[in-house]
Amino acid sequence: MDEKFGSKLFPQLWEQKIHFSGFCFYAGLALLSLLADSPSAPVNVTVKHLKANSAVVTWDVLEDEVVIGFAISQQKKDVRMLRFIQEVNTTTRSCALWDLEEDTEYIVHVQSISIQGQSPASEPVLFKTPREAEKLASKNKDEVTMKEMAKKNQQLRAGEILIIVVVLFMWAGVIALFCRQYDIIKDNEPNNSKEKAKSASENSTPEHQGGGLLRSKFPKNKPSVNIIEA
């Protein structure tokens, strides 16, 4: 339909259309202005301290942005039920999630809140809670490993101390044996000197005390004289 023909045929309707178009235009400008002033979506969204029934979500915000709160949406994967957590008048960058079910996958989004409004949602983060039995088994395994390591270290230290003690005893025995042999050798030196002197005196020519040579005990043969009477 031609615009001139329409304006002539339905003047009131055409006027309302112009007013509605103007309203939409200004409303769009206001929305764009609001979006321009709203904070950016949080970054580096991470799930930490993951347990069977709880977890902690952390995130960062861009610099030079004044943020007065946060909003977190949490839901199970493939389930429409949604939990919404919101807190204002805070500068914290973390939030605890509780009442989770073990061995279950969850999806979380984080939004920043400023005076101008909420930011767009962050990138979705998918995480899965562990089983309670697996958590306990992992914890017990770590405790057992630490205990075994401590026990092995104690055994190694005890073995090292035992080796050191044995070596010291061996050295003490060697030193004591050496001292004993040395004393025996030292005590035998005078006796050996005496025996050597005695042996030398026996091998030499015996003499009288007066210095003369020993004479034979048997008298020399004298010529016998026989007297025959006539």
Side-chain angles (χ1 to χ4, degrees):
M1 183 182 294
D2 190 7
E3 293 182 358
K4 292 182 179 181
F5 178 76
S7 61
K8 291 180 180 180
L9 184 61
F10 304 103
Q12 294 180 354
L13 183 61
W14 190 260
E15 185 178 357
Q16 291 179 0
K17 180 179 180 181
I18 293 174
H19 286 302
F20 181 75
S21 300
F23 174 77
C24 291
F25 175 74
Y26 287 111
L29 290 178
L31 181 60
L32 290 175
S33 177
L34 183 61
L35 291 175
D37 294 336
S38 63
S40 302
V43 294
N44 300 328
V45 180
T46 309
V47 178
K48 300 179 178 179
H49 308 297
L50 191 59
K51 298 180 180 179
N53 304 113
S54 63
V56 176
V57 181
T58 62
W59 64 90
D60 296 324
V61 296
L62 300 181
E63 296 180 357
D64 302 330
E65 287 192 345
V66 180
V67 177
I68 62 171
F70 64 87
I72 295 177
S73 60
Q74 165 201 326
Q75 69 178 104
K76 295 180 181 179
K77 186 180 179 182
D78 301 329
V79 177
R80 293 183 178 181
M81 186 176 62
L82 181 68
R83 173 187 287 179
F84 192 73
I85 304 171
Q86 182 173 329
E87 186 175 350
V88 294
N89 297 327
T90 180
T91 57
T92 185
R93 300 292 181 264
S94 65
C95 179
L97 305 179
W98 63 94
D99 291 339
L100 304 179
E101 297 180 7
E102 65 178 21
D103 194 23
T104 305
E105 292 183 333
Y106 288 90
I107 300 174
V108 293
H109 298 82
V110 183
Q111 292 175 277
S112 296
I113 301 176
S114 67
I115 298 175
Q116 288 77 16
Q118 293 185 354
S119 71
S122 66
E123 293 293 329
V125 175
L126 176 66
F127 68 93
K128 184 178 180 180
T129 56
R131 292 182 179 177
E132 187 68 25
E134 293 177 354
K135 194 71 176 179
L136 293 175
S138 178
K139 184 177 180 180
N140 294 333
K141 185 177 180 181
D142 294 339
E143 291 179 354
V144 170
T145 303
M146 293 179 65
K147 289 181 180 179
E148 289 180 353
M149 291 180 63
K151 188 175 181 180
K152 287 182 180 179
N153 291 333
Q154 291 178 358
Q155 291 178 352
L156 289 174
R157 291 179 182 177
E160 292 175 355
I161 293 173
L162 181 61
I163 292 173
I164 293 173
V165 171
V166 171
V167 171
L168 290 176
F169 271 110
M170 290 178 64
W171 275 104
V174 171
I175 293 172
L177 182 62
F178 175 78
C179 293
R180 183 178 179 184
Q181 294 295 330
Y182 179 78
D183 292 338
I184 293 173
I185 294 171
K186 190 175 181 180
D187 293 339
N188 289 336
E189 284 183 355
N191 296 330
N192 292 334
S193 299
K194 290 179 181 180
E195 290 179 359
K196 288 180 180 179
K198 184 176 179 181
S199 177
S201 62
E202 287 179 356
N203 292 332
S204 62
T205 304
E207 298 180 354
H208 283 291
Q209 293 180 356
L213 296 174
L214 292 176
R215 295 181 181 179
S216 175
K217 294 181 180 180
F218 299 99
K220 293 182 179 181
N221 293 328
K222 295 182 180 181
S224 59
V225 179
N226 294 324
I227 298 173
I228 301 175
E229 291 181 1

PDB file of all heavy atoms in Angstrom, residues 39-44 60-67 93 112:
ATOM      1  N   PRO A  39      28.640  -4.116  33.125  1.00  0.00           N
ATOM      2  CA  PRO A  39      29.974  -4.738  33.186  1.00  0.00           C
ATOM      3  C   PRO A  39      30.114  -5.889  32.196  1.00  0.00           C
ATOM      4  O   PRO A  39      29.123  -6.430  31.693  1.00  0.00           O
ATOM      5  CB  PRO A  39      30.049  -5.237  34.627  1.00  0.00           C
ATOM      6  CG  PRO A  39      28.642  -5.443  35.032  1.00  0.00           C
ATOM      7  CD  PRO A  39      27.849  -4.374  34.327  1.00  0.00           C
ATOM      8  N   SER A  40      31.347  -6.242  31.966  1.00  0.00           N
ATOM      9  CA  SER A  40      31.635  -7.367  31.072  1.00  0.00           C
ATOM     10  C   SER A  40      31.427  -8.684  31.807  1.00  0.00           C
ATOM     11  O   SER A  40      31.405  -8.746  33.045  1.00  0.00           O
ATOM     12  CB  SER A  40      33.069  -7.278  30.553  1.00  0.00           C
ATOM     13  OG  SER A  40      33.288  -6.053  29.883  1.00  0.00           O
ATOM     14  N   ALA A  41      31.293  -9.730  31.048  1.00  0.00           N
ATOM     15  CA  ALA A  41      31.120 -11.063  31.644  1.00  0.00           C
ATOM     16  C   ALA A  41      32.387 -11.481  32.381  1.00  0.00           C
ATOM     17  O   ALA A  41      33.504 -11.177  31.953  1.00  0.00           O
ATOM     18  CB  ALA A  41      30.779 -12.073  30.561  1.00  0.00           C
ATOM     19  N   PRO A  42      32.260 -12.172  33.508  1.00  0.00           N
ATOM     20  CA  PRO A  42      33.430 -12.656  34.238  1.00  0.00           C
ATOM     21  C   PRO A  42      34.269 -13.599  33.375  1.00  0.00           C
ATOM     22  O   PRO A  42      33.768 -14.261  32.466  1.00  0.00           O
ATOM     23  CB  PRO A  42      32.828 -13.399  35.437  1.00  0.00           C
ATOM     24  CG  PRO A  42      31.470 -12.808  35.600  1.00  0.00           C
ATOM     25  CD  PRO A  42      31.006 -12.481  34.216  1.00  0.00           C
ATOM     26  N   VAL A  43      35.556 -13.645  33.693  1.00  0.00           N
ATOM     27  CA  VAL A  43      36.487 -14.495  32.954  1.00  0.00           C
ATOM     28  C   VAL A  43      37.178 -15.442  33.942  1.00  0.00           C
ATOM     29  O   VAL A  43      37.104 -15.274  35.148  1.00  0.00           O
ATOM     30  CB  VAL A  43      37.534 -13.643  32.200  1.00  0.00           C
ATOM     31  CG1 VAL A  43      36.865 -12.813  31.114  1.00  0.00           C
ATOM     32  CG2 VAL A  43      38.304 -12.750  33.152  1.00  0.00           C
ATOM     33  N   ASN A  44      37.868 -16.436  33.369  1.00  0.00           N
ATOM     34  CA  ASN A  44      38.629 -17.419  34.161  1.00  0.00           C
ATOM     35  C   ASN A  44      37.749 -18.103  35.222  1.00  0.00           C
ATOM     36  O   ASN A  44      38.151 -18.270  36.379  1.00  0.00           O
ATOM     37  CB  ASN A  44      39.833 -16.763  34.844  1.00  0.00           C
ATOM     38  CG  ASN A  44      40.793 -16.150  33.854  1.00  0.00           C
ATOM     39  OD1 ASN A  44      40.956 -16.639  32.737  1.00  0.00           O
ATOM     40  ND2 ASN A  44      41.440 -15.061  34.241  1.00  0.00           N
ATOM     41  N   ASP A  60      37.312 -14.097  37.705  1.00  0.00           N
ATOM     42  CA  ASP A  60      37.968 -12.794  37.672  1.00  0.00           C
ATOM     43  C   ASP A  60      37.099 -11.824  36.878  1.00  0.00           C
ATOM     44  O   ASP A  60      36.299 -12.243  36.021  1.00  0.00           O
ATOM     45  CB  ASP A  60      39.359 -12.885  37.025  1.00  0.00           C
ATOM     46  CG  ASP A  60      40.307 -13.746  37.837  1.00  0.00           C
ATOM     47  OD1 ASP A  60      40.226 -13.700  39.073  1.00  0.00           O
ATOM     48  OD2 ASP A  60      41.127 -14.479  37.230  1.00  0.00           O
ATOM     49  N   VAL A  61      37.288 -10.537  37.152  1.00  0.00           N
ATOM     50  CA  VAL A  61      36.600  -9.486  36.391  1.00  0.00           C
ATOM     51  C   VAL A  61      37.658  -8.608  35.726  1.00  0.00           C
ATOM     52  O   VAL A  61      38.814  -8.572  36.143  1.00  0.00           O
ATOM     53  CB  VAL A  61      35.706  -8.632  37.311  1.00  0.00           C
ATOM     54  CG1 VAL A  61      34.599  -9.472  37.915  1.00  0.00           C
ATOM     55  CG2 VAL A  61      36.527  -7.972  38.413  1.00  0.00           C
ATOM     56  N   LEU A  62      37.242  -7.929  34.689  1.00  0.00           N
ATOM     57  CA  LEU A  62      38.169  -7.057  33.975  1.00  0.00           C
ATOM     58  C   LEU A  62      38.543  -5.845  34.826  1.00  0.00           C
ATOM     59  O   LEU A  62      37.789  -5.437  35.719  1.00  0.00           O
ATOM     60  CB  LEU A  62      37.536  -6.594  32.649  1.00  0.00           C
ATOM     61  CG  LEU A  62      37.162  -7.705  31.658  1.00  0.00           C
ATOM     62  CD1 LEU A  62      36.576  -7.100  30.394  1.00  0.00           C
ATOM     63  CD2 LEU A  62      38.384  -8.556  31.320  1.00  0.00           C
ATOM     64  N   GLU A  63      39.710  -5.304  34.532  1.00  0.00           N
ATOM     65  CA  GLU A  63      40.178  -4.146  35.284  1.00  0.00           C
ATOM     66  C   GLU A  63      39.318  -2.922  34.972  1.00  0.00           C
ATOM     67  O   GLU A  63      38.675  -2.825  33.933  1.00  0.00           O
ATOM     68  CB  GLU A  63      41.642  -3.854  34.944  1.00  0.00           C
ATOM     69  CG  GLU A  63      42.592  -4.971  35.362  1.00  0.00           C
ATOM     70  CD  GLU A  63      44.031  -4.641  35.015  1.00  0.00           C
ATOM     71  OE1 GLU A  63      44.257  -3.581  34.408  1.00  0.00           O
ATOM     72  OE2 GLU A  63      44.911  -5.450  35.352  1.00  0.00           O
ATOM     73  N   ASP A  64      39.344  -1.973  35.894  1.00  0.00           N
ATOM     74  CA  ASP A  64      38.635  -0.685  35.744  1.00  0.00           C
ATOM     75  C   ASP A  64      37.128  -0.867  35.655  1.00  0.00           C
ATOM     76  O   ASP A  64      36.423   0.000  35.107  1.00  0.00           O
ATOM     77  CB  ASP A  64      39.138   0.084  34.508  1.00  0.00           C
ATOM     78  CG  ASP A  64      40.635   0.351  34.579  1.00  0.00           C
ATOM     79  OD1 ASP A  64      41.138   0.482  35.709  1.00  0.00           O
ATOM     80  OD2 ASP A  64      41.282   0.421  33.524  1.00  0.00           O
ATOM     81  N   GLU A  65      36.611  -1.973  36.187  1.00  0.00           N
ATOM     82  CA  GLU A  65      35.159  -2.175  36.233  1.00  0.00           C
ATOM     83  C   GLU A  65      34.714  -2.212  37.691  1.00  0.00           C
ATOM     84  O   GLU A  65      35.295  -2.945  38.505  1.00  0.00           O
ATOM     85  CB  GLU A  65      34.752  -3.469  35.532  1.00  0.00           C
ATOM     86  CG  GLU A  65      34.842  -3.395  34.020  1.00  0.00           C
ATOM     87  CD  GLU A  65      34.171  -4.560  33.337  1.00  0.00           C
ATOM     88  OE1 GLU A  65      33.878  -5.564  34.035  1.00  0.00           O
ATOM     89  OE2 GLU A  65      33.950  -4.480  32.115  1.00  0.00           O
ATOM     90  N   VAL A  66      33.719  -1.416  37.996  1.00  0.00           N
ATOM     91  CA  VAL A  66      33.197  -1.351  39.357  1.00  0.00           C
ATOM     92  C   VAL A  66      32.086  -2.386  39.488  1.00  0.00           C
ATOM     93  O   VAL A  66      31.009  -2.235  38.912  1.00  0.00           O
ATOM     94  CB  VAL A  66      32.668   0.064  39.681  1.00  0.00           C
ATOM     95  CG1 VAL A  66      32.131   0.096  41.111  1.00  0.00           C
ATOM     96  CG2 VAL A  66      33.766   1.100  39.489  1.00  0.00           C
ATOM     97  N   VAL A  67      32.345  -3.427  40.235  1.00  0.00           N
ATOM     98  CA  VAL A  67      31.404  -4.532  40.414  1.00  0.00           C
ATOM     99  C   VAL A  67      30.999  -4.571  41.876  1.00  0.00           C
ATOM    100  O   VAL A  67      31.852  -4.521  42.778  1.00  0.00           O
ATOM    101  CB  VAL A  67      32.035  -5.868  39.989  1.00  0.00           C
ATOM    102  CG1 VAL A  67      31.076  -7.018  40.258  1.00  0.00           C
ATOM    103  CG2 VAL A  67      32.406  -5.836  38.518  1.00  0.00           C
ATOM    104  N   ARG A  93      35.338 -12.860  44.849  1.00  0.00           N
ATOM    105  CA  ARG A  93      35.447 -13.477  43.530  1.00  0.00           C
ATOM    106  C   ARG A  93      35.318 -14.995  43.623  1.00  0.00           C
ATOM    107  O   ARG A  93      35.893 -15.732  42.823  1.00  0.00           O
ATOM    108  CB  ARG A  93      36.793 -13.107  42.886  1.00  0.00           C
ATOM    109  CG  ARG A  93      37.012 -11.613  42.693  1.00  0.00           C
ATOM    110  CD  ARG A  93      36.073 -11.046  41.643  1.00  0.00           C
ATOM    111  NE  ARG A  93      36.297  -9.616  41.435  1.00  0.00           N
ATOM    112  CZ  ARG A  93      35.617  -8.652  42.018  1.00  0.00           C
ATOM    113  NH1 ARG A  93      34.648  -8.966  42.860  1.00  0.00           N
ATOM    114  NH2 ARG A  93      35.878  -7.381  41.784  1.00  0.00           N
ATOM    115  N   SER A 112      28.463 -10.714  36.590  1.00  0.00           N
ATOM    116  CA  SER A 112      28.848  -9.619  37.475  1.00  0.00           C
ATOM    117  C   SER A 112      27.696  -8.632  37.589  1.00  0.00           C
ATOM    118  O   SER A 112      26.924  -8.440  36.642  1.00  0.00           O
ATOM    119  CB  SER A 112      30.092  -8.904  36.941  1.00  0.00           C
ATOM    120  OG  SER A 112      31.206  -9.773  36.925  1.00  0.00           O
TER     121      SER A 112
END
